[in-house]
């Protein structure tokens, strides 16, 4: 049996689909059924199964491409652009809580995405991922990879995409995924981007952040959804701006 795939699925995981076909006549292997079984695996986006005479089967796999981290219960997993939830590579497909091998698991640099849940139907996850992908594409339209600066993105409200951004003065310090910057004592800022004009609103945030920081050192969030005003919110225990 010949396999062609990327690096997320092991040969053993692929072979498990064909366990019943060992020593079976090649013409008795149900190719369509095996293809469907392969495509039921979370990491498999598309599969091709074909006979190679006289006695081989060729399997080609196209694997899914993750675009963000996502919380799956107590664990952190991955999600692709269509809202398909994925276990971290190296973890067992049967046991999503098993830990990947650090020596073989790839390194990802994604924001943590909230507003996506295992309880959501696929259609809901797909719709919210469309919002997320549009948000990222808008921020990166200038070629500056602004999306790489995002710590966390919340797409639970389609009318208000929210993102946690680190203070540029503290970038490079250790950051906990989805949390505050460890070296700055909570310098990360929650930014409300609304439902459009994402790059324009990011530029507004970038242009005025130093000014806001100087006036309000305990700045916690910036709401950019309104045409004629920006709403600033302070950390708990601080007078509201």
């Amino acid at each position: 049996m010949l396999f062609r795939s990327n690096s997320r699925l092991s040969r053993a995981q692929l072979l498990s689909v064909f366990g019943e076909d060992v020593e079976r006549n090649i013409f008795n292997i149900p190719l369509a059924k095996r293809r469907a079984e392969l495509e039921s695996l979370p990491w498999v986006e598309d599969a091709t199964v074909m006979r190679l005479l006289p006695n081989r089967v060729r399997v080609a796999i196209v694997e899914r491409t993750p675009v963000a981290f996502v919380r799956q219960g107590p664990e952190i997993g991955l999600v692709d652009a269509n809202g398909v939830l994925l276990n971290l590579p190296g973890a067992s497909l049967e046991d999503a809580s098993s830990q990947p091998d650090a020596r073989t698991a790839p390194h990802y640099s994604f924001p943590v995405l909230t507003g996506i849940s295992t309880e959501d139907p696929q259609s809901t996850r797909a719709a919210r991922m469309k919002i997320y992908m549009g948000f990222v594409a808008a921020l990166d339209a200038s070629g500056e990879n602004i999306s790489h600066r995002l710590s966390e993105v919340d797409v639970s409200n389609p009318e208000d995409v929210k993102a946690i951004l680190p203070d540029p003065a503290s970038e490079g310090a250790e950051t906990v995924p989805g949390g505050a910057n460890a070296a700055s004592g909570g310098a990360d800022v929650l930014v409300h981007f609304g439902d459009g004009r994402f790059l324009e609103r990011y530029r507004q945030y970038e242009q005025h952040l130093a000014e806001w920081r100087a006036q309000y050192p305990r700045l916690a969030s910036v709401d950019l959804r309104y045409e004629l005003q920006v709403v600033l919110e302070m950390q708990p225990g601080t007078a509201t701006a």
Side-chain angles (χ1 to χ4, degrees), residues 25-233:
N25 185 299
I26 189 174
F27 293 102
N28 293 330
I29 297 176
L31 301 188
K33 180 179 179 181
R34 296 295 177 257
R35 176 184 177 183
E37 291 170 344
L38 287 169
E39 292 180 346
S40 70
L41 300 176
W43 272 96
V44 177
E45 182 171 7
D46 183 70
T48 301
V49 184
M50 59 187 300
R51 296 183 180 92
L52 292 180
L53 299 178
N55 58 1
R56 290 189 176 186
V57 173
R58 181 176 181 176
V59 179
I61 298 294
V62 176
E63 295 175 353
R64 296 187 182 277
T65 302
V67 296
F69 289 109
V70 65
R71 292 186 178 88
Q72 299 182 32
E75 304 294 331
I76 291 291
L78 297 163
V79 63
D80 79 347
N82 296 312
V84 176
L85 300 174
L86 308 166
N87 57 289
L88 289 172
S92 167
L93 290 174
E94 291 75 27
D95 181 7
S97 66
S98 63
Q99 295 300 310
D101 187 336
R103 297 168 298 177
T104 59
H107 173 74
Y108 294 115
S109 180
F110 298 135
V112 175
L113 185 61
T114 59
I116 298 288
S117 170
T118 55
E119 287 76 30
D120 293 330
Q122 177 63 33
S123 58
T124 298
R125 295 201 302 267
R128 290 180 179 174
M129 288 306 300
K130 185 176 181 180
I131 294 170
Y132 170 75
M133 296 303 292
F135 174 63
V136 169
L139 292 185
D140 291 343
S142 65
E144 299 172 70
N145 292 325
I146 293 171
S147 67
H148 290 184
R149 305 172 194 174
L150 304 173
S151 173
E152 185 171 324
V153 179
D154 183 352
V155 291
S156 58
N157 180 0
E159 297 181 357
D160 182 21
V161 177
K162 299 183 284 291
I164 294 178
L165 288 161
D167 188 328
S170 62
E171 284 186 348
E174 182 179 357
T175 303
V176 178
N181 185 286
S184 61
D188 291 356
V189 178
L190 174 65
V191 181
H192 295 255
F193 284 92
D195 60 1
R197 297 166 50 200
F198 299 130
L199 182 57
E200 176 186 341
R201 286 169 174 169
Y202 176 82
R203 295 296 189 207
Q204 183 182 11
Y205 164 81
E206 185 179 47
Q207 178 181 357
H208 294 285
L209 179 61
E211 169 192 340
W212 295 331
R213 279 283 188 209
Q215 189 171 2
Y216 305 106
R218 293 178 62 82
L219 181 67
S221 77
V222 177
D223 194 336
L224 302 171
R225 290 176 291 173
Y226 308 104
E227 292 294 329
L228 301 178
Q229 66 178 346
V230 174
V231 178
L232 306 180
E233 183 176 341

